[in-house]
């Protein structure tokens, strides 16, 4: 009987510690995934906010390849415009398309060099497998100069980035 009580207590303790670890892990990634967006709604960023399919004003096709370049490399949009980005990976390597400011992309690229296998996912990024296609819908509700890049370790450093000019109303 005592052995069963100890076993049940040990199992309860393991379950409690597992639950606490899982919650701490989820909290440490707040803001790092689509689930976060679904739980709390879209997050306003300096470069805009996740758009909705029924708000799309136009579609922009982006090609990416193993030459570490995007095509086109420069985009111009109007403040308030919602863009559906369709990303085509023409290469044999995984690539991604991440929106941000020069500072946020520089910081994130440095993190990716330290932890190349780091998993991340936000409304402002798309991962595209080789010979595959990805999609993102984004509303540029703030004017300014922004950038996009592939932050996979080494790709950003090889020049895989572009610019977006958001023109004020």
């Amino acid at each position: 009987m005592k052995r069963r009580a100890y076993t049940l207590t040990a199992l309860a303790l393991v379950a409690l510690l597992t639950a606490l670890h899982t919650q701490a892990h989820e909290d440490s990634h707040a803001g790092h995934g689509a689930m976060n967006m679904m739980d709390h709604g879209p997050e306003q960023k300096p470069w805009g906010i996740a758009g909705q399919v029924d708000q799309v004003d136009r579609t922009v096709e982006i090609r990416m390849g193993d030459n570490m370049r995007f095509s086109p490399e420069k985009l111009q949009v109007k403040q308030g415009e919602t863009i559906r980005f369709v990303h085509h990976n023409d290469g044999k390597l995984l690539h991604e398309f991440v929106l941000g400011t020069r500072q946020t992309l520089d910081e994130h690229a440095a993190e990716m060099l330290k932890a190349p296998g780091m998993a991340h996912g936000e409304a402002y990024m798309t991962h595209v497998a080789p010979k595959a296609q990805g999609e993102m819908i984004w509303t540029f509700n703030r004017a300014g100069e922004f950038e996009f890049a592939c932050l996979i370790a080494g790709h950003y450093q090889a020049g895989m980035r572009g610019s977006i000019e958001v023109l004020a109303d």
Side-chain angles (χ1 to χ4, degrees):
M1 188 68 154
K2 283 185 181 182
R3 185 175 186 170
R4 184 171 185 212
Y6 288 129
T7 301
L8 289 174
T9 302
L11 288 173
L13 183 58
V14 166
L16 176 63
L17 291 173
T18 300
L20 290 174
H21 174 74
T22 300
Q23 184 61 49
H25 182 76
E26 288 173 2
D27 290 346
S28 74
H29 289 291
H32 285 283
M35 292 302 293
N36 186 55
M37 187 179 81
M38 291 188 316
D39 292 344
H40 306 292
E43 181 182 357
Q44 176 67 55
K45 294 291 187 183
W47 55 91
I49 193 165
Q52 302 298 319
V53 70
D54 61 339
Q55 301 170 336
V56 171
D57 295 306
R58 66 181 166 122
T59 298
V60 174
E61 304 272 336
I62 303 282
R63 302 207 83 81
M64 53 184 78
D66 297 344
N67 62 349
M68 301 301 150
R69 296 292 181 262
F70 291 102
S71 179
E73 291 182 339
K74 294 183 180 199
L75 301 171
Q76 195 175 68
V77 301
K78 296 176 189 165
Q79 184 177 358
E81 196 171 14
T82 298
I83 304 294
R84 176 194 322 265
F85 289 102
V86 179
H87 309 96
H88 302 275
N89 183 348
D90 299 325
K92 295 179 182 177
L93 302 172
L94 174 69
H95 292 292
E96 61 184 15
F97 179 93
V98 182
L99 294 169
T101 63
R102 170 61 68 102
Q103 180 181 350
T104 60
L105 294 174
D106 283 349
E107 290 169 358
H108 198 157
E111 288 177 31
M112 292 296 289
L113 282 174
K114 293 176 189 171
M118 178 174 65
H120 55 266
E122 295 281 356
Y124 56 88
M125 54 179 69
T126 303
H127 303 84
V128 188
K131 305 296 181 193
Q133 176 176 305
E135 188 174 298
M136 165 197 308
I137 298 175
W138 195 258
T139 299
F140 292 93
N141 60 4
R142 296 189 175 169
E145 297 286 331
F146 305 105
E147 296 190 7
F148 55 92
C150 179
L151 300 181
I152 293 174
H155 295 205
Y156 184 71
Q157 294 75 13
M160 196 167 184
R161 52 184 164 232
S163 64
I164 300 176
E165 179 184 13
V166 181
L167 304 171
D169 289 338

